[in-house]
Each structure stands twice: as structure tokens, then as C-alpha cells.
Amino acid sequence: MTERDPIPTRHATRWLLQCRPGFGADLAAELADWSNSAGVAGWSRVENDQGRVDFHSADGRPLPTPPALTFARQAWPVVADCPQLPERDRVGALLEALAPHLPEALAGVWLEHPDTNDGKALGRFCRKFRPHLERALRERGVALERAGAPRLHLWFADSRQVVAGLAPAGSGRPWPMGIPRLRLPRAAPSRSALKLEEAVGWLLTPVEREAALRPGMSAVDLGAAPGGWTWALRQAGLHVTAVDNGPLAESLRADRAVRHLREDGFRYRPPHRVDWLVCDMVEQPHRVARLVRHWLVSGWCGRALFNLKLPMRRRWQCVAECRALVTGGSGELGWRSAQLYHDREEITVLAWRPAAGSRG
Ligand code: SAM
């Protein structure tokens, strides 16, 4: 790396990727699939409990930027590794290690750590550490909060062990550790409403959100009860047919723009085309994938947003199979998937027919 290179991704031989704790092996499997198909020589070191994967170049050559990966909450190229900061003046030692790489300005400083119970204590440490670090950066002439500049990532494995990276502005999920801070409105019937909000915020671009979620549009919600997703769609002004044998929340029952049908989601057929199919049924993922494909190729909906529940061991393999089932393996239908922060043992997928005008 040259001195003060503002685009570290060009030279990185190691990336640090974060995921939900317990899903490191799935992320590593996904990385292996990508690196095999892209001809990238790399290997993963997995810290499963911490939700961390370090992807290393196998031949010392710089790694290309990985694509948006389903299981990666965050990913950035590593520029420095500090395995043992001193007890005193950790800021000084950290800046020493960063000195050859520091750009003149940073868009932000993101202090990250495992999203675990132990990680919570580290979060408190990071909040205290931040003002000292930011002051020292300014004293070194680094301007902070400069739009368009790279972002500094610091991953604290513990309070003395830090990995540092620089990511281009706008890359990755737009929240430290990939965790959006969303508040559940009191009126929402379930926490699942946050899952839909996060999915719309990450899987759709702002332009797509504007075009594809407009008042007066229509949606079918399969597996709707108690109604978090239906409620969130109503907030956007859509008319919703909610299909579930279970009861909907009281507030939705009184809503004339919500039609509740106590039916099996696999048997239900819409009387006319709708803009959206959303589906959160707790069912076998392959079954859901086939159903979603059927809706899309039959022209029953323009776009589909759905969850795939992944209680099995080899989750990435299941995701890859479901992707092939939905898209037909030929890219004939669009697919974007992510394990969202609000997803537990599951992922959320956006699929569409290209004619629906989504970005490919
Ligand atoms: N998205 C909902 C929300 O925001 O409140 C939560 C859905 S909950 C995780 C799963 C729902 O799927 C349950 O209410 C269950 O009754 C429903 N379900 C499971 N299999 C179904 C099927 N074959 N047809 C219709 N609903 C089904």
C-alpha cells in the first residue's frame, strides 16, 4: 500500500466480515462459493461464536471486493492488525499502526465488536474510547465526518486486540456492525414489522422504494398473523390481503384496506395481479421458494419479499438451492438476499421479474 492511499480495497489481502454469531460457517461457505466461481485464491478463518470471518488471500495477491453476501452484515478490507495494544495509551499505539494508511479525511469512525453478551461490555468500552480517538485523529490533521471520504472501521475482539480497516464511502450496509437502530412503533402488532422495515431499507434502493411502494398499490401477505408485515405495508398505504389461519391484531381487523382470509397460503390464488407478494410462513424453504417462483412466473405479482427459515445445518447450501429454484438458475428472475439483523435462523429475499423494472 502506498502512503495515504484513499482506496485501500485495491491492495487488501485480507477482509474482515461480520455476521450473526453462529453463522460464520455459513458465511465462509458462501465466500468459498464466490471465490471458486470468481477464480479468487482465498481461505477463511472463522470465529463462529463471535460472528466473524477473516478472508485471506492464498497467494498474497490483492483480493477483489466481494459482492454483497447474504450472510455478511458488514465487510471491509483490513489495513492493520493490533493483536496486543498496551495497557496505557492505546490510542497512540493504534494511530501508530494506522499512520501509513490514514487518509486526510474520514467519513466516519465505526467502532465494532462481536454482537454477543460479552460484546456488550466492549460496546461500553468503545463509547468511552471514541472521544479520545477522535481527538487524536484531529490532532494528526485528519478531518472527520467528510462526506465521500473513506470510513475507518475498528473491530475490537477485546479491549486490547483490534483489527483496523478502511472502506470506501457508501460500501456495505450503512450501519456500524450492520445493525440498524429501528424503533418498534407501539401500534405494530409484532416485532416482525422491523424485519420488513429493515428489508425495504436494505434490499431496495431509494429509487426502487419510491417507485415500488406507493399508496394505492396492492399486496398479498402469506402467513400474515398477527400482522406486523401487513401493518408495515399499510403504513406505506398499500391495500393488503392477509392470508393466515391465525388471528390478526385487533387494529388490523378494523382496517377496511385489510382483507383477512383464513386459508392455506399454498392453496390461495389471487383473483387479480398484485404489486407485491410478501411471505413469512414458517414452512420448508424449498417449498416456499417453489411457491414464490410460481407467483412470479405466473404474473400474479410484480415483486416478492419473503423469508426462508433455515433450521438446518448447511444453511448456505439451502440458500443456494432455493436461489436456483426461484430464479430458474439462469438469472431469468432477479434475486437479492440478506440475513438481516432482525432475522434469526432465517434470511430475507427480494425477487422480481425484470419487467417489473427493478435494478438487475
Ligand atoms: N409476518 C408475521 C407478522 O409480521 O406478524 C409473522 C408471521 S409468523 C412468523 C408465521 C405465520 O405463518 C403464522 O401465523 C402461521 O400461522 C403462518 N403459516 C404457516 N404456514 C402457513 C400456511 N400454510 N398458510 C398460511 N399461513 C401459514
Side-chain angles (χ1 to χ4, degrees), residues 190 192-193 221-230 243-246 263-266 280-283 309:
S190 70
S192 297
D221 183 356
L222 301 180
W229 286 24
T230 292
V243 181
D244 201 308
N245 274 315
E263 288 187 32
D264 181 344
F266 287 95
D280 192 18
M281 292 190 287
V282 181
E283 290 283 352
K309 315 295 174 186

Side-chain angles (χ1 to χ4, degrees), residues 76-348:
W76 37 263
V78 172
V79 295
D81 200 342
C82 304
Q84 186 79 22
L85 289 174
E87 192 65 60
R88 289 168 158 268
D89 194 18
R90 291 176 216 197
V91 168
L94 187 56
L95 288 194
E96 212 47 53
L98 279 174
H101 314 291
L102 274 180
E104 280 153 17
L106 291 168
V109 179
W110 287 10
L111 305 186
E112 303 180 307
H113 53 79
D115 179 25
T116 57
N117 278 338
D118 289 348
K120 287 194 181 101
L122 272 174
R124 287 191 288 278
F125 167 82
C126 288
R127 278 192 288 283
K128 287 190 195 147
F129 189 74
R130 170 185 290 283
H132 301 288
L133 175 65
E134 290 188 343
R135 192 177 333 109
L137 282 166
R138 285 201 183 90
E139 282 168 9
R140 288 214 173 204
V142 179
L144 300 183
E145 290 170 38
R146 170 85 55 82
R151 219 167 37 213
L152 174 63
H153 290 261
L154 297 174
W155 168 271
F156 286 80
D158 60 45
S159 63
R160 294 177 64 183
Q161 196 183 328
V162 180
V163 181
L166 284 166
S171 63
R173 299 193 196 183
W175 314 284
M177 293 161 63
I179 300 182
R181 303 287 167 191
L182 303 178
R183 280 194 38 199
L184 185 69
R186 277 179 164 218
S190 70
R191 283 194 66 77
S192 297
L194 296 180
K195 199 158 59 175
L196 195 78
E197 186 181 346
E198 185 184 351
V200 166
W202 173 238
L203 294 174
L204 292 164
T205 66
V207 171
E208 287 167 348
R209 282 199 286 282
E210 184 84 8
L213 280 170
R214 288 201 308 269
M217 286 184 156
S218 54
V220 167
D221 183 356
L222 301 180
W229 286 24
T230 292
W231 179 86
L233 291 166
R234 287 294 298 126
Q235 298 307 295
L238 277 76
H239 297 254
V240 185
T241 300
V243 181
D244 201 308
N245 274 315
L248 289 188
E250 186 71 43
S251 57
L252 292 173
R253 278 186 256 156
D255 185 340
R256 291 164 66 100
V258 175
R259 197 162 153 249
H260 181 199
L261 300 176
R262 291 182 183 272
E263 288 187 32
D264 181 344
F266 287 95
R267 290 174 180 269
Y268 172 77
R269 301 287 176 261
H272 46 75
R273 183 186 182 283
V274 290
D275 297 296
W276 283 93
L277 167 68
V278 300
C279 172
D280 192 18
M281 292 190 287
V282 181
E283 290 283 352
Q284 284 180 23
H286 296 86
R287 216 177 154 213
V288 171
R290 280 192 205 94
L291 180 72
V292 168
R293 177 174 174 82
H294 191 61
W295 273 68
L296 285 165
V297 297
S298 304
W300 295 349
C301 63
R303 292 178 175 79
L305 191 84
F306 56 101
N307 258 35
L308 295 175
K309 315 295 174 186
L310 303 172
M312 68 289 296
R313 233 166 49 82
R314 300 180 68 181
R315 301 183 188 103
W316 168 247
Q317 188 182 328
C318 178
V319 172
E321 287 165 7
C322 289
R323 179 183 178 140
L325 278 175
V326 170
T327 62
S330 61
E332 144 206 4
L333 299 180
W335 166 287
R336 274 178 225 151
S337 54
Q339 185 177 39
L340 304 170
Y341 172 66
H342 290 94
D343 282 332
R344 291 170 186 260
E345 268 199 337
E346 59 194 344
I347 62 160
T348 303

Side-chain angles (χ1 to χ4, degrees), residues 2-24:
T2 57
E3 267 207 358
R4 296 200 161 225
D5 190 325
I7 314 176
T9 38
R10 281 202 305 241
H11 309 276
T13 54
R14 174 179 163 198
W15 279 66
L16 189 146
L17 301 101
Q18 296 159 49
C19 63
R20 186 180 180 85
F23 286 73

